[in-house]
Amino acid sequence: MIREHQHFFLAGEELPRLVEAVAAHGYRIAAHKLVDGNPVLSRIADAGDMPRGLVDARGPGTYEVRHAGGGAWFGITLGQDSWKRVLLPPDEELLAFSRQGKGFAVEPRSGQPGAPWAFVGMRPCDVAALARLDQVLLGGPYPDASYARRRPGLLVVAVECSAPGGTCFCAAAGAGPGLDDGYDLALNEVEGEGRHFFTVRPGSSRGREIIAGLDLGAASVEQAGLAREAVESARIAMAAKPGIAGLAPVLSAAHDHPHWQEVALRCLACGNCTMVCPTCFCHDLADSETLDGLHASRRRRWSSCFMEEFSYIHGGCIRSSVAARYRQWCSHKLAHWVKQFGVLGCVGCGRCVSFCPVGIDIAEEANAIANNPNLPGSNVGGTK
Ligand code: SF4
Ligand code: SF4
């Protein structure tokens, strides 16, 4: 009998068998695929679509895909896309209206599900981000109908991390580099020194069903140990990163701290950080109609708290300065989210740092305030 969290062995060249087994269970597979040299989360036909032997080199404001040699399937840790793109698309029609006599008919359009998705290659930070989105979009009395239609059938095939990127800080966020829960299958890829294999462990009944069809043998104690050591080395590699837990009280009390103004001198208010962030969910609604007045449409589009018009209510913007908008974003992730949900709103994926054109680092900025909490205040504008 297959037990949850039992470690199985899969040879490196046999990953396509696992992907085929997932597809055979009726899932559409999403994974990284190279598009113009960049890893983009896409629907794939089979494992042959996945990039191999590549790594992502990331720093503040920089991202590059490089050849690593070897045949690792999951050398690329993260791309700019997060998986929210599939479950909460950047642009989707929610409602369609059509005139009928003197009235009109309304047709809900959102989240027509099709076959469920399997996300292959999700990192622990992104698994944690999925749990954050679930809290916001499924928890409470008003679940998001579109997200709720796509989410339940999702199969998570996650990969624990052994080589964090230069901007990763999931360990400080308590969201990696290993996995405790939230997955159907958890993989560890061990590659190098003449070895290439996976350990695979099921975390749900659906994961166990897929494993059962593959007829895999148990991983040896040595193989499971090598996988664990690799995760531990990733944790050690991130040990020097600034912490972000426990900053909620100081950030909540730092409304008028002058450091927000200092960040605003660098921040372009471009909103890149919010677009790539796996836990950001802000959106806008846009209505349009045909010129003949017979049809209309309501669409949801991603938006950003960095856009001035995002805080436009009652004839004015409540966050008119860039400093107020940066403060809102950073405080929401690291302080207000904690108050509302009991967890950080940041999972330490580091995308916002790499894809910020000027390399602003949320953990460093928050710590700049935490380390100087009593500087004289200055009003940066806005109410929140
Ligand atoms: S705030 Fe930045 S590091 Fe944190 S989850 Fe969002 S993109 Fe990742
Ligand atoms: S922090 Fe960076 S990515 Fe975010 S809005 Fe400012 S400049 Fe753009």
Side-chain angles (χ1 to χ4, degrees), residues 172-174 242-252 333-335 338 342-344 366-367 370:
I244 55 168
L247 302 185
V250 69
L251 289 176
S252 295
K333 293 285 179 206
L334 305 182
V338 178
V343 288
L344 289 161
N367 276 276

Side-chain angles (χ1 to χ4, degrees), residues 36-107:
D36 296 331
N38 285 305
V40 175
L41 292 176
S42 311
R43 183 173 183 180
I44 61 165
D46 52 43
D49 286 341
M50 294 165 57
R52 290 189 74 177
L54 302 175
V55 291
D56 51 331
R58 285 184 279 147
T62 64
Y63 182 91
E64 196 182 339
V65 173
R66 294 181 183 156
H67 288 280
W73 293 94
F74 297 105
I76 293 176
T77 313
L78 298 174
Q80 67 180 16
D81 280 334
S82 76
W83 305 83
K84 73 178 180 185
R85 174 173 291 279
V86 179
L87 299 173
L88 191 71
D91 180 6
E92 70 173 326
E93 187 175 36
L94 298 181
L95 296 170
F97 306 84
S98 54
R99 187 177 290 281
Q100 295 199 343
K102 291 189 175 174
F104 58 88
V106 183
E107 188 188 341

Side-chain angles (χ1 to χ4, degrees), residues 78 125-126 129 167 169 173 244 272-274 276-280 329 333-334 345-353 362-363:
L78 298 174
C125 56
D126 282 339
T167 55
F169 57 99
I244 55 168
N272 271 16
C273 46
T274 56
V276 298
C277 177
T279 66
C280 279
W329 184 66
K333 293 285 179 206
L334 305 182
C346 169
V347 295
C349 71
R351 286 185 180 91
C352 60
V353 187
I362 183 173

Side-chain angles (χ1 to χ4, degrees), residues 266-274 306 326 329 352 355-358 360:
R266 290 174 279 138
C267 175
L268 310 173
C270 64
N272 271 16
C273 46
T274 56
F306 280 93
Y326 188 84
W329 184 66
C352 60
F355 294 102
C356 170
V358 290
I360 292 173

Side-chain angles (χ1 to χ4, degrees), residues 21-269:
V22 171
H25 278 73
Y27 293 96
R28 286 181 283 182
I29 314 272
H32 277 140
K33 188 174 177 176
L34 278 195
V35 178
D36 296 331
N38 285 305
V40 175
L41 292 176
S42 311
R43 183 173 183 180
I44 61 165
D46 52 43
D49 286 341
M50 294 165 57
R52 290 189 74 177
L54 302 175
V55 291
D56 51 331
R58 285 184 279 147
T62 64
Y63 182 91
E64 196 182 339
V65 173
R66 294 181 183 156
H67 288 280
W73 293 94
F74 297 105
I76 293 176
T77 313
L78 298 174
Q80 67 180 16
D81 280 334
S82 76
W83 305 83
K84 73 178 180 185
R85 174 173 291 279
V86 179
L87 299 173
L88 191 71
D91 180 6
E92 70 173 326
E93 187 175 36
L94 298 181
L95 296 170
F97 306 84
S98 54
R99 187 177 290 281
Q100 295 199 343
K102 291 189 175 174
F104 58 88
V106 183
E107 188 188 341
R109 284 288 178 84
S110 55
Q112 305 302 334
W117 285 99
F119 291 171
V120 174
M122 250 190 144
R123 296 295 176 170
C125 56
D126 282 339
V127 174
L130 191 61
R132 306 295 195 272
L133 288 183
D134 287 351
Q135 279 184 307
V136 174
L137 299 170
L138 297 181
Y142 304 108
D144 183 272
S146 170
Y147 185 88
R149 283 193 196 96
R150 294 187 179 99
R151 173 66 176 95
L154 174 68
L155 187 89
V156 173
V157 182
V159 183
E160 293 192 324
C161 288
S162 55
T167 55
C168 291
F169 57 99
C170 62
L179 280 159
D180 293 325
D181 51 28
Y183 61 87
D184 296 289
L185 289 171
L187 312 185
N188 293 75
E189 184 170 26
V190 177
E191 199 243 3
E193 298 177 15
R195 305 183 184 100
H196 187 198
F197 66 87
F198 291 93
T199 61
V200 186
R201 61 183 204 273
S204 71
S205 56
R206 295 187 299 167
R208 285 201 302 273
E209 273 171 35
I210 289 165
I211 291 283
L214 287 170
D215 195 24
L216 301 180
S220 68
V221 172
E222 189 203 357
Q223 287 159 348
L226 283 168
R228 266 196 304 274
E229 276 170 28
V231 174
E232 205 42 46
S233 71
R235 195 184 307 281
I236 291 165
M238 286 184 278
K241 299 277 178 159
I244 55 168
L247 302 185
V250 69
L251 289 176
S252 295
H255 184 273
D256 291 331
H257 198 285
H259 190 72
W260 301 123
Q261 199 66 261
E262 197 281 322
V263 182
L265 294 175
R266 290 174 279 138
C267 175
L268 310 173

